[in-house]
Every structure is written in C-alpha cells, then in structure tokens.
Amino acid sequence: MKFFTYTSAFLALCSRLVVHGAHSQTTSASAAQISAGYHVIYSYSGTTPPDQLTELIKKGAIGGILLFGENVSPSLPSQVTQWQSVYRSSSAYAGSPLLIMTDQEGGQVRRLPGGPSLSEKEIGASANPVQAATSAGQQAASALRTYANNVNLAPVGGVYRQSGNFLDQYGRSYSNQSSITSECISAFIKSQQSNGDVLATAKHFPGLGSAKAGQDTDAKPVTINTSLDELRSIDEKPFQSAIQADVDLIMPSWALYPALDAKFPSGLSRKWVTDELRDRLGFEGVIITDAIEAGGLNAFGANDSHRSILAIQAGQDSILVGARNVEQGWQIVQDLAIASINGSINAQEWSQSTQRILSLRSKITI
Ligand SMILES: *[C@@H]1O[C@H](CO)[C@@H](O)[C@H](O)[C@H]1NC(C)=O
Ligand SMILES: *[C@@H]1O[C@H](CO)[C@@H](O)[C@H](O)[C@H]1NC(C)=O
Ligand SMILES: *[C@@H]1O[C@H](CO)[C@@H](O)[C@H](O)[C@H]1NC(C)=O
Ligand SMILES: *[C@@H]1O[C@H](CO)[C@@H](O)[C@H](O)[C@H]1NC(C)=O
C-alpha cells in the first residue's frame, strides 16, 4: 500500500512537472522577446531538430536558423518548409519568412550537397574569373534553394597576402589582388541574388586577408596589425564592390584591427561597424555577426548575452548563435529583450535595426 501511495504521489508530481513544462513552453513570448527574436539566428545539432525549436518558432521568439553539414538529411527541406508554416501562424509573423542560412562558399567550404564546386581561389585563378564567379553564384543559389535556404553566408571578401595563410590555406580568398577579389565578389553576389533570390553575405569586414595560418577567430583572439591606409586601399575594396553590387548582408570579422580600434574587435567595435561600415562606406543592409560563441571574443568573457549586447551596441543587427544548442539562442533573446527595455540598447537604433531585418526579409520569396 505504501508503495502505491508513494507511486501515485510521485506520478502526481511528475504530471505537475510535465504540465508545468508544457505550460512554460507554450506561454507566449512578450513583445520585447518577439522584437529581440527577430535579431537572433539559432542553431541545433544533428539531423533531428529539438521540439524546443518548433516551440520557439510558435512563440515567435526567433529570427532564423543557421544550418551546418551535420543538420543535413533528405528530410531537411520539408522540415524547413514546416518551420516556415508554423512561423506564419505565430504572433511574430510580419509577412516575411524566417531567415534560413548556411555557409555555401564553394570548394572545401560547403555545408549543403551541391555547388559551387570551385573554391574562391580557383575562381580567381581561372581564365575568366568574372564568368567563373557568376557561375559559382548560380550554383550556390541552386544548392541553397534545394534546401529551402534563403541566405548564404558567402562570399568571402578577403585579399590574401601570403600563400598558405589563414584564408588561402583552404582556397577561400579569390586573389591576392584587391581588384580581382572585388570583381569576383561582385559577380558572385549579383549572380546569386538575381538567379535564385538567395541573399548574399560579404564577409568578414574589413577582411581577414592578412591573418596568418592558425589565426582563426573561431578558436582564439586574433590581432591584425595592418595600417588603416592599407586596410582601406586593399582590404575594404571588395566590400565596397559588394555594396555597389547591392549585397544584402555584411558580416564583420572577430579580429582586432588596432589601426582603427585597439580595444574592440571589428564586430564589437562601434568605430568599425557604425562609423566605418555604415557611415563611411554607406552600407544600408543588415549587419550580421560571426558565431557569437567564437574563441576570438574570449577577452570579453564567456557570456554570449553580454557579447550580443556589445555587438548590438556597436551597430550590428543580427546575432549568429552557432553552438548548436537551442537554449543558447533563447537565453540571448531573453537577455536582449531585457536590455532593450532597460536602456542598455538604444531604443531608436533597436527599432531601426528591426526594420532593416524585416525589410531584408520582405525581399525573400522562398
Ligand atoms: C599573387 O599570387 C600570384 C600567384 O600565386 C603570384 O605570382 C604573385 O607574385 C602574387 N602577388 C603578390 C603581390 O603577392
Ligand atoms: C601587433 O602589434 C602589437 C603592438 O605593436 C604587437 O605586440 C603584436 O605582436 C603584433 N601582432 C602581430 C600578429 O604582428
Ligand atoms: C550574462 O550577461 C547578461 C547580459 O549582460 C546578464 O544579464 C546575465 O546575468 C549574465 N549571465 C550570467 C550567467 O552571468
Ligand atoms: C539591462 O539588462 C542587461 C541584460 O540583462 C544587463 O546586462 C544590464 O546590466 C541591465 N542594465 C541595467 C541598467 O539594469
């Protein structure tokens, strides 16, 4: 008897926990969380997306999903279509889809099956680089569309300095000449954006071309000592071409460039993001971070919400949350929502930033 009493009490407790859990998952998001959600791109691990992701889409506390090779399975396209349909019935839905993105650069850096088969380096070295980059843009658009993705986190705008350096070792730089990199990045962007309605992202502003082999901002802090003159006359040129080609997004790098800001890496730097990229170069599109948990930001602590607030304060619009853990994205949304209410984030800039994201999304037809 005692056993049964215990069991039923235990079951009652379990069902309370389950009800409570289910309740907290379906509770609607606050208005501030919905606003913050537009700014946060989530990721998850493996081929079976967690239910929590669908719950957050229902609540509207999410702006998009970053996909990795490990997420790819034959059912991924229909999964994405299903998420978009769940999102359309959420209270956050403002007439445009979630951003679904991946790194489909070409060569060795391709998360989805399909092209571009040539690396940036092979394109830059080919007989007709502009034609090859145009074809690569078409191939990227086609691969992304097959998987219902609407944003490519490519192309790379770095102008490499030494063979075998950080970008060159994987063939990720079109050329060691700024003019060729500029032509190629521009051709890729125009081709991908017009042939597939897939938005392009020029990265990593102001360029990782002089990062040496092993200077990987994903792993650790990286300092690039190039002078401001050289950064502007060589490294920034491809980004200016990208802006002229109407690139939709730009991703700042996580490297520190003391020539303009000795304290904050480009992506956390008001001087780089707002003064240089927005004001000096006149970029009006969406600025998206590189992965927020990157080791490159270790000097700023391990708290991803803190890092995200710094990125927004610098002038970035979207936060890429790449540790493949849905809870990581949800925590950031909740903390950005608080920061947007308590004055840590400038209210006027925040609402302009949200508008930029929504207007970017309104261009998407997939
Ligand atoms: C650029 O790369 C080419 C091909 O590897 C090489 O021949 C040339 O010397 C390099 N130019 C500069 C300025 O480093
Ligand atoms: C960059 O310059 C700083 C200060 O001059 C120096 O301490 C550092 O070693 C340099 N870093 C690289 C990668 O050259
Ligand atoms: C992380 O940073 C956010 C934003 O500054 C802060 O609200 C939160 O308390 C921090 N979390 C931890 C665990 O320190
Ligand atoms: C506002 O909220 C953010 C995020 O939780 C926190 O880091 C910050 O300390 C808060 N600021 C104030 C003034 O309460």
Side-chain angles (χ1 to χ4, degrees), residues 177-200:
Q177 283 176 260
S178 199
S179 57
I180 295 179
T181 298
S182 296
E183 275 174 15
C184 290
I185 192 172
S186 164
F188 184 102
I189 289 163
K190 286 183 191 156
S191 160
Q192 190 197 274
Q193 290 187 169
S194 65
N195 284 286
D197 260 332
V198 176
L199 311 182

Side-chain angles (χ1 to χ4, degrees), residues 224-229 231 256-262 272:
I224 291 181
N225 279 339
T226 309
S227 72
L228 191 55
D229 266 1
L231 287 168
L256 184 72
Y257 302 82
L260 189 62
D261 191 333
W272 278 113

Side-chain angles (χ1 to χ4, degrees), residues 5 16 21 41 50 52 54 56 74 77 80 89 97 120 147 217-218 242 246 265 269 279 292 305 329 353:
T5 308
R16 279 224 312 273
I41 310 298
Q52 191 191 2
T54 308
L56 287 160
V80 173
S89 51
E120 291 92 332
Y147 282 84
T217 58
D218 283 348
D246 282 329
S269 165
D279 297 344
I292 200 70
S305 296
S353 174

Side-chain angles (χ1 to χ4, degrees), residues 121 160-163 175-177:
K121 184 174 187 172
Y160 79 95
R161 298 302 203 282
Q162 279 134 18
S163 59
S175 174
N176 57 4
Q177 283 176 260

Side-chain angles (χ1 to χ4, degrees), residues 35 39 270 274 308-317 336-356:
S35 283
H39 298 259
R270 183 98 189 164
T274 296
S308 300
I309 293 169
L310 291 176
I312 298 290
Q313 287 171 341
Q316 297 227 42
D317 299 304
L336 285 178
I338 295 169
S340 72
I341 291 170
N342 77 8
S344 290
I345 293 176
N346 177 289
Q348 193 192 349
E349 287 183 10
W350 186 237
S351 98
Q352 286 168 347
S353 174
T354 306
Q355 282 314 310
R356 260 194 302 275

Side-chain angles (χ1 to χ4, degrees), residues 245-305:
D246 282 329
V247 72
D248 286 305
L249 302 99
I250 292 184
M251 175 189 289
S253 104
W254 284 147
L256 184 72
Y257 302 82
L260 189 62
D261 191 333
K263 180 169 180 210
F264 293 106
S266 170
L268 298 185
S269 165
R270 183 98 189 164
K271 291 178 184 165
W272 278 113
V273 176
T274 296
D275 299 349
E276 190 74 2
L277 181 54
R278 280 256 182 262
D279 297 344
R280 189 167 171 278
L281 301 186
F283 180 58
E284 292 176 351
V286 166
I287 305 181
I288 185 168
T289 70
D290 203 340
I292 200 70
E293 69 284 351
L297 301 185
N298 284 350
F300 298 87
N303 182 333
D304 294 330
S305 296

Side-chain angles (χ1 to χ4, degrees), residues 36-115:
Y38 294 127
H39 298 259
V40 177
I41 310 298
Y42 287 65
S43 62
Y44 64 93
S45 71
T47 50
T48 309
D51 293 342
Q52 191 191 2
L53 186 55
T54 308
E55 291 302 326
L56 287 160
I57 293 171
K58 252 184 220 160
K59 284 189 193 186
I62 174 171
I65 301 172
L66 166 65
L67 295 168
F68 289 93
E70 66 171 274
N71 302 131
V72 174
S73 77
S75 63
L76 184 56
S78 62
Q79 175 66 73
V80 173
T81 305
Q82 194 190 324
W83 282 326
Q84 297 289 18
S85 131
V86 169
Y87 187 62
R88 278 195 292 279
S89 51
S90 84
S91 52
Y93 187 63
S96 60
L98 292 168
L99 297 173
I100 308 294
M101 59 186 70
T102 198
D103 296 274
Q104 196 76 359
E105 295 177 10
Q108 292 183 54
V109 186
R110 282 178 286 165
R111 311 296 183 216
L112 304 175

